[in-house]
Amino acid sequence: MKNILLSLVSIVGIGFITNSYALNLPLGFINPYVAEAPPNAKALAAYVQIKNLGNNDTALASVSSPDFEKVEIHSMSMENGVMHMAEQKNLSIPANSEVILKSGGLHIMLINPKRALKAGDSVEILFTEQNNTTHLIDAQVKRIGAHNK
């Protein structure tokens, strides 16, 4: 009985350590996904809601993925009826706020896939903050229009 009690205390202690560790990494990545593209597409797009739960502003300095030759943060805007896309060198995320990367706006451009991807596959994406804190997420490939289901 004593050993069981010590084991439970250890597990609870680990839980507290894990929770306090998580509190020190204030960015949350919600509903990440990659839009499925035709098999020979040279670029795909990834979308995610990023929440900064911390009290300090931060910025994403880079994004990468082992499944793509190049990954960039892009913005889209409409000027004189023409859609423009531009690479963003970083992405500011103010304290206690969120940034939503979605179709038609800010998004992650995944360039030159190293393997064919189809709906149901998973893609690792590594986000690096300006302070070199990293966040590795798995984004599921979804059919266009299916990401809201």
Side-chain angles (χ1 to χ4, degrees), residues 34-86:
V34 173
E36 185 181 47
N40 295 326
K42 297 293 183 196
L44 288 85
Y47 308 104
V48 63
Q49 177 183 359
I50 305 171
K51 286 192 172 233
N52 182 350
L53 303 174
N55 294 321
N56 298 313
D57 295 348
T58 190
L60 294 176
S62 68
V63 185
S64 62
S65 173
D67 291 314
F68 296 87
E69 287 181 18
K70 190 173 185 181
V71 180
E72 299 174 347
I73 301 169
H74 280 200
S75 66
M76 291 183 76
S77 61
M78 186 70 78
E79 294 177 26
N80 299 322
V82 178
M83 186 66 76
H84 294 275
M85 191 167 19

Side-chain angles (χ1 to χ4, degrees), residues 81-96:
V82 178
M83 186 66 76
H84 294 275
M85 191 167 19
E87 180 182 1
Q88 305 296 295
K89 292 299 179 190
N90 60 48
L91 178 63
S92 296
I93 308 169
N96 299 301

Side-chain angles (χ1 to χ4, degrees), residues 7-21:
S7 294
L8 287 174
V9 169
S10 295
I11 291 169
V12 169
I14 290 169
F16 286 130
I17 291 168
T18 302
N19 287 337
S20 66
Y21 179 74

Side-chain angles (χ1 to χ4, degrees), residues 77-148:
S77 61
M78 186 70 78
E79 294 177 26
N80 299 322
V82 178
M83 186 66 76
H84 294 275
M85 191 167 19
E87 180 182 1
Q88 305 296 295
K89 292 299 179 190
N90 60 48
L91 178 63
S92 296
I93 308 169
N96 299 301
S97 68
E98 68 182 16
V99 174
I100 300 174
L101 283 64
K102 62 183 181 177
S103 181
L106 289 168
H107 61 280
I108 304 298
M109 184 60 62
L110 305 162
I111 302 164
N112 294 327
K114 295 180 181 178
R115 64 183 174 108
L117 295 166
K118 63 184 181 321
D121 289 342
S122 183
V123 172
E124 285 186 349
I125 302 174
L126 180 67
F127 293 87
T128 303
E129 291 182 64
Q130 62 191 8
N131 64 5
N132 290 324
T133 300
T134 59
H135 308 272
L136 182 64
I137 65 165
D138 284 319
Q140 184 178 16
V141 178
K142 296 186 178 185
R143 283 191 177 78
I144 294 174
H147 59 271
N148 291 327

